[in-house]
Amino acid sequence: NVYQRVRAGNLNYLVLEESIAQVEAIDYEELQEDLREGLNDIANLQWQTHMSGSMIPPTGNDALDQALQGMLSMSASSASQSLQSQYDALREQFDDLKDGKIQQDAADSVRQLRATQDNLVMLTQSMYIQLSELQATDAALDRGLAALDRTIQEMELRYQLGQISALTLQQVTAGRTSLVSGRQTLAMNRTNYTMQLELMVGAELTGEMKLGELPEVSDEALAAMDLETDLAEAKAASYSLYAAELTLQDAEEDYKDAAKKYHYDTSRYQLASALHTCQAAQYTYSATVQNFEMAFRTLYFQVKDYQQVLAAARTALSCERDTYASMELKYQQGSISHNALLTAQDDLADAEEAVQSAAINLFSAYNTYCWAVQNGILN
């Protein structure tokens, strides 16, 4: 339910939602009418400015009349230029609206804002997965600490029997201090990451949020993955590729404008420069597409690799369970010590943790793959 909680409680997400609503609230018919009225108002002002020269009555003094007329002419000319600039700017907006350019820019802005929202959700999900990994690491440290305590107990007994030196015992004990310190650092990181997750979903910052189990990736979902079909869908959904295409189109338009301006005279350095800029934009776009395809294919094969790693870990776990069952029988028969049984128990727990870690890695990679296919987001 991370997606729903981010939508409802993440303040950055809500800010973006308001920005989207602001863009979508534009009434383009009303805007067109406002622009038309503005153009008419400016045209009326231009006419009034043009006619203002005849509004000053003669004073009877020719020199004064000429001076006043000159001042009025200069003022009218300045006002006329200002009004013409305003009219041209407003006319350009009106034409862009009429041609649908403003509507397209608005749609592009909404798409970009939606992509930013998707990135927020994906970031929160990634943080959730990292916390799940930290929980598994914490459990492994607990087992390591318990195993080290057993070792220290054994070493203390051997020291009392004179089998090892005080230095050896001290080295083993120092190892426990280092392990405890690492465990405390991990606990601090877990608290910090938990608070970050709480912040991302709009919850109270306590550092105590409990996580549910990560979903398991089904064999059916993995079998449904199709590299080429999914890649095409991901490219169509990618905002980064769309933005790169827009940049290329702008460069091509600039080149066309320059070609018209300089009458396709390739000897003009301005046209040659525009051509090189356009070609560089084409290379940049092609490189962006190649990098996207490469990253997607790498992700696809990564998911498949994690799938086989998980299968291998499950096989190893099955063998470890059989081994532990035999060790448990030997312990009951009195042929091995309790410490040996506990060591076998730790080996079994390690195998279970390997399965859990492989499952987390598979889910993380598959979740990223789904984001890439459905939303065109790769990182």
Side-chain angles (χ1 to χ4, degrees):
N1 63 355
V2 166
Y3 175 69
Q4 291 83 357
R5 297 194 65 173
V6 170
R7 286 191 62 185
N10 186 290
L11 297 179
N12 291 321
Y13 190 99
L14 295 175
V15 169
L16 292 169
E17 192 66 32
E18 291 300 325
S19 298
I20 291 172
Q22 181 182 8
V23 174
E24 292 180 339
I26 298 174
D27 186 325
Y28 294 103
E29 292 184 0
E30 184 176 346
L31 176 59
Q32 186 175 25
E33 186 60 31
D34 290 341
L35 291 174
R36 183 181 288 108
E37 291 178 359
L39 289 171
N40 291 335
D41 290 341
I42 294 175
N44 290 332
L45 287 173
Q46 287 177 316
W47 173 252
Q48 293 174 14
T49 302
H50 176 71
M51 295 299 295
S52 62
S54 61
M55 294 181 180
I56 299 179
T59 63
N61 186 323
D62 292 340
L64 179 59
D65 288 343
Q66 290 179 0
L68 290 175
Q69 193 64 36
M71 294 174 58
L72 182 60
S73 177
M74 291 177 57
S75 176
S77 176
S78 176
S80 178
Q81 291 178 2
S82 176
L83 288 173
Q84 187 61 46
S85 297
Q86 295 178 41
Y87 185 90
D88 292 341
L90 209 59
R91 182 69 196 189
E92 183 178 0
Q93 293 183 44
F94 184 84
D95 291 340
D96 287 345
L97 182 63
K98 187 177 179 181
D99 295 339
K101 292 182 180 180
I102 291 180
Q103 295 90 324
Q104 185 60 51
D105 289 343
D108 292 342
S109 297
V110 169
R111 182 170 180 177
Q112 182 180 18
L113 292 169
R114 292 290 185 200
T116 305
Q117 287 182 319
D118 289 338
N119 274 289
L120 277 174
V121 177
M122 186 178 181
L123 174 62
T124 309
Q125 289 184 351
S126 298
M127 196 175 299
Y128 192 106
I129 295 170
Q130 289 176 359
L131 269 173
S132 299
E133 293 175 337
L134 284 179
Q135 286 182 341
T137 303
D138 193 24
L141 285 178
D142 284 342
R143 288 195 306 276
L145 185 60
L148 188 57
D149 285 340
R150 293 197 302 271
T151 301
I152 291 175
Q153 186 178 12
E154 179 182 342
M155 298 296 279
E156 287 177 343
L157 179 60
R158 293 180 61 187
Y159 173 72
Q160 293 172 4
L161 296 174
Q163 296 178 355
I164 62 172
S165 65
L167 178 59
T168 302
L169 177 60
Q170 183 181 7
Q171 289 173 340
V172 175
T173 305
R176 186 185 190 281
T177 302
S178 177
L179 187 59
V180 170
S181 175
R183 189 166 175 268
Q184 291 175 344
T185 300
L186 179 65
M188 178 200 67
N189 288 333
R190 278 186 60 187
T191 300
N192 289 337
Y193 287 150
T194 301
M195 286 194 295
Q196 290 181 30
L197 181 61
E198 290 168 342
L199 178 65
M200 295 294 287
V201 299
E204 184 180 358
L205 303 182
T206 64
E208 299 176 355
M209 176 179 282
K210 304 300 181 184
L211 304 185
E213 293 293 330
L214 290 176
E216 183 176 348
V217 184
S218 67
D219 293 336
E220 293 78 11
L222 294 170
M225 293 171 59
D226 183 280
L227 178 56
E228 298 305 327
T229 301
D230 292 345
L231 174 57
E233 188 175 346
K235 289 170 66 176
S238 171
Y239 176 77
S240 62
L241 292 185
Y242 179 71
E245 185 177 2
L246 291 180
T247 301
L248 174 60
Q249 291 175 358
D250 289 342
E252 291 174 342
E253 288 296 326
D254 290 342
Y255 170 71
K256 291 178 182 178
D257 292 341
K260 291 179 181 179
K261 181 177 180 180
Y262 297 105
H263 307 290
Y264 298 90
D265 184 359
T266 55
S267 65
R268 299 292 295 269
Y269 78 90
Q270 296 93 337
L271 183 57
S273 177
L275 176 60
H276 290 307
T277 300
C278 182
Q279 189 61 62
Q282 178 63 64
Y283 291 145
T284 300
Y285 173 74
S286 299
T288 302
V289 174
Q290 284 184 343
N291 291 334
F292 185 92
E293 291 179 349
M294 180 64 185
F296 186 89
R297 294 178 186 277
T298 300
L299 179 59
Y300 174 88
F301 292 117
Q302 187 179 54
V303 173
K304 295 299 183 180
D305 183 59
Y306 281 136
Q307 182 183 13
Q308 67 86 18
V309 169
L310 177 58
R314 284 172 172 166
T315 301
L317 174 60
S318 178
C319 295
E320 201 61 52
R321 283 171 176 164
D322 293 339
T323 300
Y324 178 74
S326 66
M327 296 293 286
E328 194 172 28
L329 180 59
K330 290 179 180 179
Y331 174 72
Q332 293 171 357
Q333 295 172 345
S335 59
I336 63 171
S337 67
H338 185 247
N339 275 357
L341 178 63
L342 292 177
T343 299
Q345 191 176 39
D346 286 342
D347 292 339
L348 175 60
D350 288 340
E352 291 173 342
E353 182 194 338
V355 171
Q356 181 184 11
S357 178
I360 291 175
N361 289 336
L362 175 59
F363 174 78
S364 178
Y366 181 74
N367 188 56
T368 303
Y369 184 84
C370 290
W371 273 105
V373 174
Q374 297 168 11
N375 303 88
I377 301 174
L378 276 170
N379 50 35

